[in-house]
Amino acid sequence: MKSQDTPFEGGPMDGRVLPVLLGPTGHPPKTYRIPVPGPDGGPPTVLVYRRVPRGHSRRLGLVQGWKYRYDPDDTTGGRLRWPWSKPATPAAPPPDAPGSGKPGDTNE
């Protein structure tokens, strides 16, 4: 696999450069998640970094490389978000629960 040294900006990883594996298109992943163990064995904290262009060429405006910027307000929860995806909803009651709205239901 091919990797590329990618700088990190902001957050606890500010100023560090890490080798990041490239995907089949030759680009690093859009998000980079770093699990950090919690103090005293508590729940781990996940640092989220988003890929942003490092710079653009003068003539054609092509991306010259990538860097990762810290995203403290990550709301995706590690899931992919597609335009056609339904928003996350709370669990629905089982279909055979009383008051489910089935024809012939007497709501006992």
Side-chain angles (χ1 to χ4, degrees):
M1 289 236 101
K2 200 171 179 186
S3 66
Q4 175 183 12
D5 289 339
T6 308
F8 285 77
E9 184 177 278
M13 298 289 291
D14 191 26
R16 295 190 186 179
V17 178
L18 296 177
V20 176
L21 291 176
L22 303 178
T25 60
H27 298 291
K30 289 184 180 181
T31 58
Y32 195 82
R33 298 178 186 284
I34 303 170
V36 178
D40 300 330
T45 304
V46 178
L47 304 175
V48 179
Y49 285 84
R50 300 248 178 250
R51 182 183 73 183
V52 294
R54 189 185 305 180
H56 297 281
S57 65
R58 288 181 179 243
R59 296 186 100 184
L60 299 176
L62 300 174
V63 174
Q64 291 292 325
W66 301 99
K67 63 182 174 182
Y68 283 105
R69 185 172 293 146
Y70 181 60
D71 184 11
D73 301 327
D74 177 48
T75 57
T76 61
R79 294 178 295 131
L80 290 175
R81 291 193 35 167
W82 300 100
W84 55 84
S85 295
K86 294 179 182 177
T89 58
D96 58 342
S100 63
K102 287 182 179 178
D105 192 8
T106 59
N107 290 335
E108 297 175 340

